[in-house]
Every structure is written in C-alpha cells, then in structure tokens.
C-alpha cells in the first residue's frame, strides 16, 4: 500500500483523525510537528534550529523537514506506507516526497479560519499517551483518559498570536499544494467543520476509493 497525506490548516483535526484512522488503515502516523517537538525537547541540533521558527508560528526550513522524513521512512514500520500528518507543507517538500514514496490519497480536512483560533486555544493533550482533547468540543471523559494515567499538557505554540502566524503560513505556503495534488487526481476534500465521528467516516470512505 502507498502512503496517505493528511492535509489542512493548523487545528483542522489532522492529529485527531490520524489517531482514529490509524487502526483502520494500519499505517503509522508520521507527524512532522510531533517529531520537531521531540527534537526541541531533546535539544538536538535539529530541535535547537527549529525552535525559533515554531515559536514564531513560521514553517521550519524545507531542508530540515525533508531530512527528518528521509530518516523516518527508513524505519521498518514504514515499509507498507505511512500516514503523513502535517507534511508536505511546501512545494519543495511535495517534490521531495514524490521522489521518496508513492502517495495514493491526500485527505484535505477543510475548516474555516474563524473556527481555528477557538480550536487551538482550547486544545490540550494527555502527556502520558498523547491523545488530543479540547476544553469544549472534545473534553477528556469524566472517567479519565483511556490510558488510565491522564496528565494535562498544553503546546507552547497554542496561543492566539502564534495561531494567526501559522494560519498565514498555511495560506501562503501550504494551500497552493492543493492544486498540485488536484492535478494528480488524488486530492479529497472533507468538510472538517462537523462532528469528529462524521469526519472520520468520510475519510475512511475516501480512502476506499
Ligand atoms: P503541527 O504540530 O503539525 O501543527 P499544525 O499543522 O499547526 O496542526 P495542529 O497539530 O495544530 O492541528 P491538527 O490539525 O493536528 O488539529 P488537532 O487534531 O490537534 O506543526 C507545529 C509547527 O511545527 C508548525 O507551526 C511549524 O513551525 C512546524 N512544522 C511542522 N511540520 C512542518 C513542515 N512539514 N514544514 C515546516 N514546518 C513544519 O485538533 C485541534 C483541536 O481541535 C483539538 O483540541 C481537537 O480536540 C479539536 N478538534 C478536532 N476535530 C474537531 C472537530 N471536528 N470539531 C471540534 N473540535 C475538533
């Protein structure tokens, strides 16, 4: 099987949907955002360089991202393809990806800008298992997180100022990729401004085609 790409603005629900469709597809999630945050935490050379871009809500340079992906897809779990979450985000990244692996579907989760700030500013996750929640739209269940060890965590870049920069970066540098993938006939638009379960259902339908 080839790889799939989850595409969309910050806060569209890429990570939320990746968790849900991982079990159905068997494809491991490859999130460049998660990889970069791990590198920042570990203070690796990549993390040290990426940190200032991430804190400013700007895209990390293509050379760093492409190298991260090249190394990641050499791991044994990527042999049957992966689910890219937040990659590619620029035309050079898409060009590099086309030389690395086949992509069968690009799933574009579409959410209007005016919903994005509320989504991101209300986001938290479980530090133990990584599951993503939202204060209003998707709170941790009263019984607690399914991992049994809920510890609340917030992202450093989840604030209003950074979100607006991330949205600008998305419109200027990432959204032009839609045309690139539409021309390849593998671009599937999904209305992401609905209940989480309905979106997962439509993504799985798109993946069956
Ligand atoms: P990254 O971590 O990829 O962040 P992002 O793209 O900005 O996307 P998010 O993770 O913020 O949102 P999401 O779509 O996963 O939404 P989620 O499911 O959490 O990147 C961070 C930074 O790293 C970038 O700014 C950049 O600096 C750098 N970077 C990463 N990749 C890069 C690349 N390829 N090139 C260059 N730089 C790169 O949902 C959001 C919230 O909404 C949650 O609280 C959730 O519970 C809630 N929610 C989800 N679905 C719904 C729904 N249907 N209704 C209501 N609420 C919902």
């Amino acid at each position: 099987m080839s790889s799939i790409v989850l595409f969309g603005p910050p806060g569209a629900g890429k990570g939320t949907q990746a968790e849900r469709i991982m079990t159905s597809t068997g494809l491991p999630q490859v999130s460049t955002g998660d990889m970069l945050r791990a590198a920042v935490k570990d203070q690796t050379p990549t993390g040290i360089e990426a940190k200032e871009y991430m804190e400013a809500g700007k895209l990390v340079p293509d050379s760093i991202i492409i190298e991260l992906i090249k190394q990641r897809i050499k791991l044994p779990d990527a042999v049957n393809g992966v689910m890219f979450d937040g990659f590619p985000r620029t035309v050079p990244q898409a060009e590099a990806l086309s030389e690395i692996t086949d992509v069968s579907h690009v799933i574009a989760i579409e959410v209007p800008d005016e919903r994005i700030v509320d989504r991101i500013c209300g986001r938290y996750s479980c530090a133990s298992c990584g599951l993503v929640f939202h204060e209003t739209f998707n709170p941790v269940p009263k019984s607690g997180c399914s991992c049994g060890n809920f510890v609340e965590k917030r992202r450093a870049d989840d604030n209003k100022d950074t979100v607006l920069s991330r949205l600008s970066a998305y419109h200027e540098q990432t959204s032009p990729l839609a045309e690139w993938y539409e021309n390849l006939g593998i671009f599937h638009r999904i209305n992401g401004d609905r209940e989480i379960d309905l979106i997962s259902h439509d993504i799985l339908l798109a993946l069956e085609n």
Side-chain angles (χ1 to χ4, degrees):
M1 188 175 176
S2 23
S3 294
I4 63 178
V5 169
L6 293 179
F7 183 89
K14 302 181 293 295
T16 301
Q17 295 300 331
E19 284 290 340
R20 289 165 171 246
I21 57 182
M22 220 164 9
T23 38
S24 312
T25 62
L27 297 175
Q29 176 189 12
V30 172
S31 158
T32 39
D34 288 348
M35 293 164 79
L36 290 167
R37 279 184 288 279
V40 170
K41 189 172 169 221
D42 295 344
Q43 297 192 326
T44 65
T46 294
I48 291 166
E49 194 173 347
K51 189 169 186 264
E52 64 177 287
Y53 293 96
M54 297 172 77
E55 285 179 349
K58 293 181 178 165
L59 292 188
V60 172
D62 289 333
S63 56
I64 293 181
I65 299 294
I66 291 166
E67 188 54 32
L68 273 181
I69 290 294
K70 280 185 177 166
Q71 296 308 321
R72 176 62 184 85
I73 69 152
K74 284 182 190 162
L75 298 183
D77 68 340
V79 69
N80 291 321
V82 303
M83 178 167 39
F84 290 108
D85 164 2
F87 172 85
R89 289 196 196 200
T90 63
V91 170
Q93 290 181 22
E95 286 170 344
L97 179 59
S98 69
E99 290 168 12
I100 295 170
T101 187
D102 287 339
V103 173
S104 60
H105 297 77
V106 176
I107 303 293
I109 305 175
E110 299 187 320
V111 177
D113 283 5
E114 57 268 26
R115 295 269 191 271
I116 297 295
V117 175
D118 281 350
R119 281 204 188 181
I120 286 192
C121 293
R123 169 168 52 190
Y124 58 93
S125 64
C126 172
S128 304
C129 68
L131 273 184
V132 177
F133 300 100
H134 189 280
E135 288 164 0
T136 312
F137 308 133
N138 182 27
V140 66
K142 287 205 172 77
S143 55
C145 185
S146 55
C147 74
N149 187 27
F150 177 69
V151 181
E152 182 178 316
K153 187 173 150 191
R154 301 261 173 175
R155 271 172 49 176
D157 60 346
D158 279 356
N159 57 72
K160 194 171 177 185
D161 289 344
T162 309
V163 173
L164 296 178
S165 305
R166 285 157 65 192
L167 264 176
S168 297
Y170 173 76
H171 288 300
E172 285 164 24
Q173 294 167 272
T174 306
S175 59
L177 281 181
E179 193 182 344
W180 162 288
Y181 283 118
E182 263 171 341
N183 288 337
L184 294 177
I186 58 172
F187 196 75
H188 302 264
R189 293 180 188 275
I190 305 287
N191 175 1
D193 191 14
R194 296 176 295 158
E195 282 179 30
I196 292 171
D197 286 345
L198 294 176
I199 300 164
S200 312
H201 175 265
D202 284 0
I203 291 175
L204 290 172
L205 269 185
L207 291 176
E208 282 169 14
N209 292 327

